[in-house]
Amino acid sequence: QVQLVESGGGLVQPGGSLRLSCTASALRLDYYVIAWFRQAPGKEREGVSYISNTSNYTYYIESVKGRFTISRDIARNTVYLEMNSLKPDDTAIYYCARTVFKTLNPARYEYWGQGTQVTVSS
C-alpha cells in the first residue's frame, strides 16, 4: 500500500527555518512529480512547490520564491522542503503528494500524506 509520510514540522519564530521531509513506502518518489501543499485554518489547500521527475525541474509560488527550496534525495527516497525566513503567514499544515503532471492543481494529485504542522509565531 502506497503511503506518503511528512515530518519535520514544528513551532518556529519568524525568520527561522525548518526542513520538511516526505518519504514513501511502496513508491519510488523519483518516478513522479512530488509537490508540497499547505492548508491554513479556514483557507483552501494551496500548492507551494513541486519537483519534476525528469531533469529535477522545480516550481515555486511567488510568495515562497527565494525562501523555500524543494529537493530530492533518491537514495533516501525522500523529498525535502527547506523553508527559510519563515513568516507567520506560512503557518499551515503541510502535505506532500504525487502526480504525473507538472502542476499545482490539487485535483491532479493522488496519494497524499497525513500532513505536518508548521507554526510560525513569536
Side-chain angles (χ1 to χ4, degrees):
Q1 183 178 355
V2 174
Q3 276 191 311
L4 297 181
V5 179
E6 303 94 339
S7 62
L11 172 64
V12 64
Q13 292 187 341
S17 299
L18 284 173
R19 187 177 76 163
L20 306 183
S21 300
C22 173
T23 60
S25 58
L27 176 70
R28 283 279 302 269
L29 292 183
D30 56 311
Y31 288 177
Y32 299 95
V33 174
I34 303 298
W36 286 95
F37 291 81
R38 65 186 180 186
Q39 189 164 20
K43 294 188 177 180
E44 292 188 356
R45 189 166 296 190
E46 173 187 45
V48 174
S49 175
Y50 71 76
I51 184 166
S52 73
N53 53 334
T54 57
S55 74
N56 275 340
Y57 171 80
T58 58
Y59 177 86
Y60 302 90
I61 58 172
E62 195 63 35
S63 61
V64 307
K65 278 183 183 177
R67 301 189 298 123
F68 290 10
T69 302
I70 191 170
S71 62
R72 188 198 302 275
D73 185 330
I74 296 175
R76 296 180 183 273
N77 199 33
T78 300
V79 172
Y80 300 102
L81 185 69
E82 184 78 34
M83 306 186 297
N84 298 312
S85 302
L86 282 162
K87 306 174 181 180
D89 282 351
D90 296 317
T91 295
I93 299 175
Y94 283 71
Y95 302 87
C96 64
R98 76 132 216 220
T99 185
V100 296
F101 305 102
K102 292 180 182 176
T103 178
L104 283 178
N105 180 354
R108 292 287 195 168
Y109 281 79
E110 54 183 351
Y111 295 120
W112 295 76
Q114 82 291 345
T116 185
Q117 176 71 47
V118 172
T119 303
V120 184
S121 175
S122 55

